[in-house]
Amino acid sequence: MSRPTMRERFYAELGPLLDAEPRTAVVLAVIGASSLREVSARHPERVIDIGIREQAMVGVAGGLALTGIRPIVHTYAPFLVERAYEQVKLDLGHQDVGAVLVSAGASYDASTAGRTHQAPADVTLMSALPGWTVHVPGHADELARMLHRAGRTDDRVYIRTSGQQNAHAHPVDGLLHVVRGGAHTRPLVVAVGPILDTVVEATRDLDVRVAYTSTPHPLDTRGLRTLAGPTPVVAVVEPYLEGTSAPAVAAALADRPSRVAYVGVPRGAELRRYGTPKDHAAAHGLDAAGIHARLKEVVG
Protein backbone atom coordinates (compact mmCIF):
# COMPACT_ATOMS: atom_id res chain seq x y z
CA MET A 1 0.00 0.00 0.00
CA SER A 2 1.46 3.36 -1.03
CA ARG A 3 1.78 6.09 1.54
CA PRO A 4 -0.39 9.19 1.13
CA THR A 5 1.01 12.27 -0.51
CA MET A 6 1.27 15.43 1.55
CA ARG A 7 -1.68 16.89 -0.31
CA GLU A 8 -3.83 13.82 0.37
CA ARG A 9 -2.83 13.92 4.02
CA PHE A 10 -3.73 17.61 4.20
CA TYR A 11 -7.26 16.92 2.96
CA ALA A 12 -7.59 13.96 5.33
CA GLU A 13 -6.58 16.07 8.35
CA LEU A 14 -9.00 18.93 7.68
CA GLY A 15 -12.07 17.02 8.92
CA PRO A 16 -10.56 16.17 12.32
CA LEU A 17 -9.16 19.70 12.61
CA LEU A 18 -12.54 21.36 11.93
CA ASP A 19 -14.20 18.91 14.33
CA ALA A 20 -11.72 19.74 17.10
CA GLU A 21 -11.37 23.49 16.53
CA PRO A 22 -14.80 25.17 16.12
CA ARG A 23 -13.36 28.51 15.05
CA THR A 24 -11.45 27.12 12.07
CA ALA A 25 -12.67 27.48 8.48
CA VAL A 26 -11.29 26.37 5.12
CA VAL A 27 -11.24 28.81 2.21
CA LEU A 28 -10.71 27.39 -1.28
CA ALA A 29 -10.59 28.54 -4.88
CA VAL A 30 -12.03 25.36 -6.42
CA ILE A 31 -8.79 23.38 -5.92
CA GLY A 32 -9.44 20.72 -3.26
CA ALA A 33 -13.19 21.14 -3.16
CA SER A 34 -13.91 17.69 -4.57
CA SER A 35 -11.71 16.09 -1.90
CA LEU A 36 -13.59 17.88 0.88
CA ARG A 37 -17.20 17.00 0.02
CA GLU A 38 -17.71 14.97 3.18
CA VAL A 39 -16.10 17.63 5.35
CA SER A 40 -18.14 20.32 3.62
CA ALA A 41 -21.36 18.39 4.22
CA ARG A 42 -20.49 18.10 7.90
CA HIS A 43 -19.41 21.74 8.24
CA PRO A 44 -21.15 23.59 5.37
CA GLU A 45 -20.66 27.00 6.96
CA ARG A 46 -16.91 26.43 7.44
CA VAL A 47 -15.79 25.16 4.03
CA ILE A 48 -15.98 28.11 1.67
CA ASP A 49 -15.27 27.77 -2.05
CA ILE A 50 -14.76 31.21 -3.57
CA GLY A 51 -14.40 29.94 -7.13
CA ILE A 52 -11.39 30.68 -9.28
CA ARG A 53 -10.78 34.02 -7.55
CA GLU A 54 -7.56 33.62 -5.59
CA GLN A 55 -7.20 37.28 -4.61
CA ALA A 56 -10.75 37.27 -3.26
CA MET A 57 -10.00 34.01 -1.45
CA VAL A 58 -7.24 35.67 0.56
CA GLY A 59 -9.39 38.77 1.10
CA VAL A 60 -12.20 36.62 2.47
CA ALA A 61 -9.69 34.91 4.77
CA GLY A 62 -8.59 38.30 6.05
CA GLY A 63 -12.20 39.28 6.76
CA LEU A 64 -12.85 36.00 8.58
CA ALA A 65 -9.73 36.49 10.66
CA LEU A 66 -10.89 39.94 11.70
CA THR A 67 -14.03 38.32 13.16
CA GLY A 68 -12.04 35.76 15.16
CA ILE A 69 -12.25 32.88 12.68
CA ARG A 70 -9.04 30.93 12.01
CA PRO A 71 -8.88 30.57 8.19
CA ILE A 72 -6.99 27.80 6.44
CA VAL A 73 -6.43 28.87 2.85
CA HIS A 74 -5.46 26.46 0.10
CA THR A 75 -4.60 26.31 -3.59
CA TYR A 76 -1.58 25.92 -5.84
CA ALA A 77 1.48 27.89 -4.75
CA PRO A 78 1.64 30.30 -7.73
CA PHE A 79 -2.00 31.26 -7.23
CA LEU A 80 -1.84 31.46 -3.45
CA VAL A 81 1.44 33.36 -3.14
CA GLU A 82 2.29 35.06 -6.42
CA ARG A 83 -1.16 35.90 -7.78
CA ALA A 84 -2.55 36.97 -4.41
CA TYR A 85 0.63 38.49 -2.98
CA GLU A 86 -0.83 41.97 -2.52
CA GLN A 87 -3.79 40.53 -0.61
CA VAL A 88 -1.49 38.39 1.56
CA LYS A 89 0.52 41.53 2.30
CA LEU A 90 -2.41 43.83 3.00
CA ASP A 91 -5.49 41.80 3.98
CA LEU A 92 -3.54 39.59 6.38
CA GLY A 93 -0.19 41.18 7.24
CA HIS A 94 -1.15 44.86 7.25
CA GLN A 95 -4.37 44.10 9.16
CA ASP A 96 -2.19 42.15 11.64
CA VAL A 97 -4.38 39.05 11.52
CA GLY A 98 -3.36 35.45 11.08
CA ALA A 99 -4.12 32.61 8.70
CA VAL A 100 -2.71 29.27 7.67
CA LEU A 101 -1.81 29.24 3.99
CA VAL A 102 -1.27 25.73 2.64
CA SER A 103 0.01 25.45 -0.91
CA ALA A 104 0.28 22.57 -3.35
CA GLY A 105 2.60 22.17 -6.31
CA ALA A 106 5.86 23.32 -4.70
CA SER A 107 8.46 24.47 -7.23
CA TYR A 108 7.58 22.26 -10.19
CA ASP A 109 5.43 19.32 -9.02
CA ALA A 110 2.85 20.35 -11.62
CA SER A 111 5.47 20.80 -14.33
CA THR A 112 3.28 19.16 -16.97
CA ALA A 113 0.77 22.00 -16.50
CA GLY A 114 3.39 24.52 -17.59
CA ARG A 115 4.97 27.60 -16.03
CA THR A 116 1.64 28.88 -14.70
CA HIS A 117 1.67 26.10 -12.09
CA GLN A 118 5.29 26.49 -10.97
CA ALA A 119 6.42 28.64 -8.04
CA PRO A 120 10.07 28.23 -7.05
CA ALA A 121 10.05 31.77 -5.59
CA ASP A 122 7.18 31.26 -3.12
CA VAL A 123 9.32 30.74 -0.01
CA THR A 124 11.43 33.77 -0.92
CA LEU A 125 8.32 35.92 -1.29
CA MET A 126 6.68 34.74 1.94
CA SER A 127 9.94 35.20 3.86
CA ALA A 128 10.00 38.85 2.74
CA LEU A 129 6.76 39.62 4.58
CA PRO A 130 6.93 40.45 8.29
CA GLY A 131 5.51 38.10 10.86
CA TRP A 132 5.28 34.92 8.79
CA THR A 133 6.56 31.47 9.68
CA VAL A 134 7.36 29.28 6.68
CA HIS A 135 7.23 25.49 7.00
CA VAL A 136 8.49 23.15 4.28
CA PRO A 137 7.57 19.68 5.55
CA GLY A 138 9.55 16.72 4.31
CA HIS A 139 6.94 14.08 5.08
CA ALA A 140 3.15 13.81 5.33
CA ASP A 141 3.39 13.19 9.10
CA GLU A 142 5.31 16.44 9.49
CA LEU A 143 2.63 18.24 7.49
CA ALA A 144 -0.10 16.88 9.76
CA ARG A 145 1.65 18.02 12.94
CA MET A 146 2.33 21.46 11.50
CA LEU A 147 -1.27 21.89 10.37
CA HIS A 148 -2.86 20.97 13.70
CA ARG A 149 -0.42 23.12 15.64
CA ALA A 150 -0.96 26.12 13.35
CA GLY A 151 -4.73 25.67 13.53
CA ARG A 152 -4.64 26.30 17.26
CA THR A 153 -2.78 29.61 17.02
CA ASP A 154 -3.43 33.06 15.57
CA ASP A 155 -0.07 33.24 13.80
CA ARG A 156 0.61 33.85 10.13
CA VAL A 157 1.84 30.51 8.81
CA TYR A 158 2.73 29.31 5.33
CA ILE A 159 2.96 25.53 4.81
CA ARG A 160 4.40 24.36 1.51
CA THR A 161 3.41 20.83 0.55
CA SER A 162 5.30 18.87 -2.09
CA GLY A 163 4.87 15.75 -4.16
CA GLN A 164 8.37 14.74 -3.08
CA GLN A 165 8.82 13.45 0.46
CA ASN A 166 11.42 11.69 2.56
CA ALA A 167 11.12 8.09 3.70
CA HIS A 168 10.81 9.06 7.36
CA ALA A 169 9.40 11.99 9.33
CA HIS A 170 11.58 14.18 11.51
CA PRO A 171 10.82 16.61 14.38
CA VAL A 172 8.92 19.77 13.46
CA ASP A 173 10.09 21.98 16.31
CA GLY A 174 11.70 24.59 14.07
CA LEU A 175 15.23 23.50 14.99
CA LEU A 176 18.11 22.07 13.01
CA HIS A 177 18.52 18.34 13.62
CA VAL A 178 21.69 16.40 12.89
CA VAL A 179 21.12 13.53 10.47
CA ARG A 180 24.78 12.66 9.96
CA GLY A 181 27.23 13.84 12.59
CA GLY A 182 30.97 14.19 12.92
CA ALA A 183 33.67 16.63 13.91
CA HIS A 184 32.97 20.36 13.69
CA THR A 185 35.85 20.66 11.25
CA ARG A 186 33.82 18.79 8.63
CA PRO A 187 31.63 20.88 6.29
CA LEU A 188 27.96 21.16 7.22
CA VAL A 189 25.19 20.54 4.69
CA VAL A 190 21.74 21.81 5.68
CA ALA A 191 18.86 20.11 3.85
CA VAL A 192 15.42 21.73 3.85
CA GLY A 193 12.24 19.64 3.80
CA PRO A 194 11.64 16.99 1.13
CA ILE A 195 15.13 17.27 -0.39
CA LEU A 196 16.75 15.53 2.62
CA ASP A 197 16.81 11.97 1.29
CA THR A 198 18.27 13.19 -2.00
CA VAL A 199 20.95 15.09 -0.08
CA VAL A 200 21.81 12.01 1.98
CA GLU A 201 22.20 10.01 -1.23
CA ALA A 202 24.23 12.78 -2.87
CA THR A 203 26.67 13.05 0.05
CA ARG A 204 27.20 9.34 0.61
CA ASP A 205 30.86 9.53 -0.44
CA LEU A 206 31.52 13.08 0.81
CA ASP A 207 33.14 13.84 4.17
CA VAL A 208 30.38 16.12 5.44
CA ARG A 209 27.85 16.42 8.22
CA VAL A 210 24.15 16.70 7.32
CA ALA A 211 21.48 18.59 9.26
CA TYR A 212 17.76 18.93 8.56
CA THR A 213 15.09 21.54 9.05
CA SER A 214 11.48 21.81 7.95
CA THR A 215 11.22 25.46 9.03
CA PRO A 216 13.51 27.62 6.90
CA HIS A 217 11.93 30.86 8.10
CA PRO A 218 12.69 31.89 10.74
CA LEU A 219 15.80 29.76 10.46
CA ASP A 220 17.27 28.19 13.59
CA THR A 221 20.27 30.51 13.59
CA ARG A 222 21.37 29.53 17.09
CA GLY A 223 21.49 25.89 16.04
CA LEU A 224 23.32 26.84 12.86
CA ARG A 225 25.99 28.71 14.81
CA THR A 226 26.44 25.77 17.17
CA LEU A 227 26.74 23.23 14.37
CA ALA A 228 28.83 25.37 12.04
CA GLY A 229 31.74 25.93 14.40
CA PRO A 230 34.26 28.80 14.43
CA THR A 231 35.39 28.64 10.77
CA PRO A 232 32.43 27.11 9.00
CA VAL A 233 32.04 25.66 5.55
CA VAL A 234 28.29 25.43 5.00
CA ALA A 235 26.04 24.45 2.10
CA VAL A 236 22.27 24.93 2.19
CA VAL A 237 20.23 22.73 -0.15
CA GLU A 238 16.75 24.20 -0.55
CA PRO A 239 14.08 22.85 -2.96
CA TYR A 240 13.08 26.32 -4.15
CA LEU A 241 14.83 29.49 -5.27
CA GLU A 242 18.55 29.27 -4.65
CA GLY A 243 19.83 31.61 -1.94
CA THR A 244 16.48 32.11 -0.21
CA SER A 245 18.15 31.35 3.12
CA ALA A 246 21.15 33.60 2.43
CA PRO A 247 20.10 36.62 4.58
CA ALA A 248 19.48 34.48 7.66
CA VAL A 249 22.66 32.42 7.21
CA ALA A 250 24.78 35.51 6.55
CA ALA A 251 23.45 37.21 9.69
CA ALA A 252 24.05 34.10 11.79
CA LEU A 253 27.67 33.72 10.67
CA ALA A 254 28.55 37.40 10.28
CA ASP A 255 31.23 37.28 12.99
CA ARG A 256 33.00 34.21 11.58
CA PRO A 257 35.21 33.64 8.55
CA SER A 258 32.96 31.33 6.58
CA ARG A 259 32.39 29.80 3.18
CA VAL A 260 28.73 29.31 2.30
CA ALA A 261 27.10 27.89 -0.82
CA TYR A 262 23.43 27.56 -1.78
CA VAL A 263 21.96 24.81 -3.92
CA GLY A 264 18.43 25.32 -5.18
CA VAL A 265 16.47 26.31 -8.27
CA PRO A 266 18.95 28.64 -10.02
CA ARG A 267 18.03 32.30 -10.16
CA GLY A 268 17.21 33.38 -13.68
CA ALA A 269 16.37 29.83 -14.76
CA GLU A 270 13.35 29.62 -17.04
CA LEU A 271 12.57 26.18 -18.42
CA ARG A 272 10.21 26.32 -21.39
CA ARG A 273 9.78 22.58 -21.74
CA TYR A 274 7.09 21.02 -19.59
CA GLY A 275 8.72 17.69 -18.70
CA THR A 276 8.22 15.76 -15.45
CA PRO A 277 9.21 16.87 -11.95
CA LYS A 278 12.22 14.54 -12.23
CA ASP A 279 13.19 16.22 -15.50
CA HIS A 280 13.04 19.62 -13.82
CA ALA A 281 15.03 18.44 -10.80
CA ALA A 282 17.76 17.14 -13.10
CA ALA A 283 17.74 20.29 -15.22
CA HIS A 284 18.09 22.47 -12.11
CA GLY A 285 20.78 20.28 -10.57
CA LEU A 286 18.50 19.18 -7.73
CA ASP A 287 18.72 15.44 -8.30
CA ALA A 288 21.35 13.41 -6.43
CA ALA A 289 23.91 13.72 -9.22
CA GLY A 290 23.48 17.48 -9.52
CA ILE A 291 23.63 18.09 -5.77
CA HIS A 292 26.72 15.87 -5.50
CA ALA A 293 28.47 17.88 -8.19
CA ARG A 294 27.63 21.23 -6.57
CA LEU A 295 28.64 20.12 -3.08
CA LYS A 296 31.91 18.62 -4.31
CA GLU A 297 32.85 22.09 -5.54
CA VAL A 298 32.32 23.40 -2.00
CA VAL A 299 33.91 20.68 0.10
CA GLY A 300 36.70 19.81 -2.33
Side-chain angles (χ1 to χ4, degrees):
M1 183 176 178
S2 62
R3 60 182 174 178
T5 66
M6 289 191 205
R7 189 174 172 187
E8 290 168 343
R9 185 65 179 274
F10 167 64
Y11 296 147
E13 295 294 334
L14 284 174
L17 179 58
L18 266 64
D19 292 342
E21 302 291 338
R23 73 187 186 104
T24 54
V26 180
V27 190
L28 307 169
V30 177
I31 300 298
S34 62
S35 298
L36 295 176
R37 286 178 182 144
E38 182 181 335
V39 178
S40 181
R42 198 159 73 242
H43 300 289
E45 76 288 358
R46 291 198 282 142
V47 178
I48 305 165
D49 185 356
I50 301 299
I52 307 176
R53 301 175 181 87
E54 290 85 2
Q55 294 99 320
M57 174 183 68
V58 175
V60 166
L64 291 172
L66 285 168
T67 70
I69 298 295
R70 179 60 167 164
I72 301 167
V73 191
H74 170 66
T75 189
Y76 275 91
F79 313 142
L80 180 60
V81 176
E82 295 174 329
R83 182 173 295 173
Y85 194 65
E86 183 178 14
Q87 285 70 39
V88 173
K89 179 180 73 174
L90 297 178
D91 296 349
L92 295 172
H94 189 61
Q95 295 292 341
D96 198 21
V97 293
V100 186
L101 308 187
V102 182
S103 70
S107 292
Y108 40 73
D109 285 353
S111 58
T112 56
R115 188 65 174 90
T116 56
H117 285 62
Q118 299 170 24
D122 61 333
V123 175
T124 309
L125 290 168
M126 294 304 299
S127 299
L129 296 175
W132 284 89
T133 295
V134 177
H135 295 306
V136 181
H139 190 278
D141 289 350
E142 295 176 20
L143 172 278
R145 294 199 292 271
M146 291 169 174
L147 177 65
H148 284 273
R149 184 172 61 197
R152 295 191 297 268
T153 74
D154 290 307
D155 300 335
R156 292 190 285 278
V157 179
Y158 177 55
I159 303 176
R160 182 194 217 240
T161 71
S162 173
Q164 180 183 11
Q165 59 178 318
N166 303 315
H168 304 287
H170 293 269
V172 292
D173 52 12
L175 304 178
L176 282 172
H177 290 271
V178 175
V179 176
R180 181 192 301 160
H184 272 70
T185 53
R186 296 167 65 187
L188 176 68
V189 179
V190 177
V192 180
I195 203 76
L196 173 63
D197 283 0
T198 308
V199 169
V200 170
E201 180 184 352
T203 58
R204 205 174 300 279
D205 66 343
L206 299 178
D207 188 23
V208 299
R209 295 168 294 146
V210 177
Y212 173 75
T213 185
S214 56
T215 304
H217 180 77
L219 186 66
D220 175 19
T221 52
R222 178 178 295 182
L224 178 62
R225 287 175 59 82
T226 299
L227 291 174
T231 55
V233 175
V234 177
V236 181
V237 185
E238 42 200 0
Y240 37 80
L241 197 63
E242 186 174 276
T244 295
S245 301
V249 174
L253 304 179
D255 62 336
R256 305 179 186 188
S258 57
R259 182 182 179 191
V260 184
Y262 300 93
V263 181
V265 178
R267 291 175 181 265
E270 180 73 39
L271 296 184
R272 291 181 170 83
R273 296 181 181 180
Y274 283 22
T276 67
K278 286 185 178 180
D279 292 332
H280 281 247
H284 290 311
L286 284 174
D287 58 357
I291 292 171
H292 179 275
R294 290 291 304 281
L295 293 180
K296 201 167 184 180
E297 295 175 1
V298 179
V299 304

